[in-house]
Amino acid sequence: MKICSTVKEVREQVNAWKKEGLTIGFVPTMGYLHEGHRSLMEAARKNNDKVVVSIFVNPMQFGPTEDLESYPRDLEKDAKVCEGVGVDLIFHPEPEEMYTEGFCSYVDMNGLTTELCGRTRPTHFRGVQTVVLKLFNIVKPDNAYFGQKDAQQLAVIKRMVTDLNVDITITGCPIVREEDGLAKSSRNTYLNADERKAALILSKSLAIGKELIEKGETDAAKVKKAISDNIETEPLAKIDYVDVVDFATITPVDTIKGETLVAIAVYIGKTRLIDNFIIG
Ligand code: PAF
């Protein structure tokens, strides 16, 4: 397994593979890899000749008061995880390699990014789209894999690829959970023991909403209320949002029909966690 830190090195390797007619699967990450990332890499491994993983904590997608500095990093451990799955190349650039002097071009979107996380993180998706398109242009994959845990990000990337005619197939992979139901996230490491217990309120509250829908409830407001009421029983939890939106457009719906995303963001202490389910 190669570890490259420059665009030039990655391009040379990728071009050599392309000349041999090999397909490339790509998993973009910010590192501190867990089972969720592993499932993406395994999907890439299964369906492509070569697998590239990027590990880059992208400054552009963090707001000024967010956790860029404290975001957990462990390249040595990440490299072992990648090696275990049979990854062929890790791209681990420094910020200066990705954002060279004078950088001033961005990818942005009018729809999809204003609701859910976009409300409290107004510049986040511009940073995500910009870095993902740059990574796509560097790695030139045939297939790219994203987790459904970041469902809004998945919808945004799918829209971007369609709108900008990017010739890459985007695959969304299911949320991977701890045994007790907490969705895997690199940010779970911020939780102390009490917060870790309290964090279960996310998956438990979503389960209540899901059950209601499965029993036939189609009123989005009722589902939102049931989820919110349950989250509010946990003293350490503070709701950022509980929303029901159309998955493709990320616009709020009143009636649940078609592919619908039920998504929540909740502060547990100072840590903001997200979780969701998609129905239909
Ligand atoms: O999901 C993430 O880890 C990041 O948003 C991504 C897609 C790697 C872009 O920095």
Side-chain angles (χ1 to χ4, degrees), residues 27-31 37 54 56-58 61-62 71 124 127-129 131-132 135 145-147 150 153 157 186:
V27 182
T29 81
M30 298 209 298
H37 297 112
S54 64
F56 178 58
V57 182
N58 173 34
Q61 69 190 72
F62 288 79
Y71 196 85
H124 173 68
V128 170
Q129 288 173 82
V131 82
V132 168
L135 290 166
Y145 299 83
F146 292 82
D150 294 298
Q153 168 172 282
I157 298 299
S186 307

Side-chain angles (χ1 to χ4, degrees), residues 250-270:
I250 312 288
T251 48
V253 297
D254 293 331
T255 306
I256 297 169
K257 60 173 183 323
E259 207 176 18
T260 306
L261 168 68
V262 179
I264 63 178
V266 179
Y267 285 94
I268 301 292
K270 285 194 171 129

Side-chain angles (χ1 to χ4, degrees), residues 89-133:
L89 188 153
I90 294 177
F91 179 39
H92 177 60
E94 291 299 325
E96 302 74 46
E97 178 71 7
M98 291 299 279
Y99 301 115
T100 47
E101 221 191 311
F103 183 94
C104 58
S105 304
Y106 302 89
V107 186
D108 214 342
M109 193 176 274
N110 271 335
L112 279 84
T113 56
T114 49
E115 298 294 330
L116 308 183
C117 292
R119 252 185 268 133
T120 43
R121 308 185 76 191
T123 57
H124 173 68
F125 289 106
R126 180 172 97 144
V128 170
Q129 288 173 82
T130 303
V131 82
V132 168
L133 190 63

Side-chain angles (χ1 to χ4, degrees), residues 50-249:
K50 297 290 175 186
V51 176
V52 177
V53 171
S54 64
I55 296 177
F56 178 58
V57 182
N58 173 34
M60 200 191 283
Q61 69 190 72
F62 288 79
T65 58
E66 291 179 1
D67 56 343
L68 172 62
E69 294 310 323
S70 58
Y71 196 85
R73 294 158 167 91
D74 190 342
L75 181 62
E76 217 173 290
K77 191 165 150 259
D78 287 348
K80 282 193 189 128
V81 174
C82 291
E83 198 130 43
V85 183
V87 167
D88 298 284
L89 188 153
I90 294 177
F91 179 39
H92 177 60
E94 291 299 325
E96 302 74 46
E97 178 71 7
M98 291 299 279
Y99 301 115
T100 47
E101 221 191 311
F103 183 94
C104 58
S105 304
Y106 302 89
V107 186
D108 214 342
M109 193 176 274
N110 271 335
L112 279 84
T113 56
T114 49
E115 298 294 330
L116 308 183
C117 292
R119 252 185 268 133
T120 43
R121 308 185 76 191
T123 57
H124 173 68
F125 289 106
R126 180 172 97 144
V128 170
Q129 288 173 82
T130 303
V131 82
V132 168
L133 190 63
K134 280 170 68 65
L135 290 166
F136 282 174
N137 284 332
I138 295 163
V139 177
K140 291 186 231 140
D142 300 276
N143 299 293
Y145 299 83
F146 292 82
Q148 190 204 297
K149 162 135 179 305
D150 294 298
Q152 187 173 16
Q153 168 172 282
L154 174 59
V156 164
I157 298 299
K158 281 184 171 173
R159 186 75 249 170
M160 177 186 84
V161 160
T162 303
D163 289 352
L164 303 182
N165 303 98
V166 181
D167 193 12
I168 296 169
T169 303
I170 305 299
T171 300
C173 298
I175 298 177
V176 178
R177 297 182 180 278
E178 303 284 354
E179 262 178 33
D180 59 8
L182 179 67
K184 299 251 183 190
S185 164
S186 307
R187 288 190 169 100
N188 291 349
T189 54
Y190 297 155
L191 303 169
N192 66 30
D194 288 341
E195 291 168 344
R196 173 65 185 75
K197 271 189 218 145
L200 288 181
I201 200 70
L202 279 89
S203 54
K204 284 183 177 159
S205 306
L206 281 174
I208 289 172
K210 196 166 183 211
E211 200 187 329
L212 262 183
I213 298 171
E214 281 166 358
K215 283 187 175 152
E217 185 57 75
T218 56
D219 184 341
K222 284 191 183 151
V223 173
K224 280 198 312 194
K225 184 168 183 327
I227 294 172
S228 303
D229 285 352
N230 198 63
I231 296 172
E232 278 162 5
T233 62
E234 170 50 62
L236 291 181
K238 190 171 153 272
I239 295 175
D240 178 1
Y241 64 75
V242 173
D243 270 316
V244 181
V245 299
D246 175 76
F247 179 48
T249 60

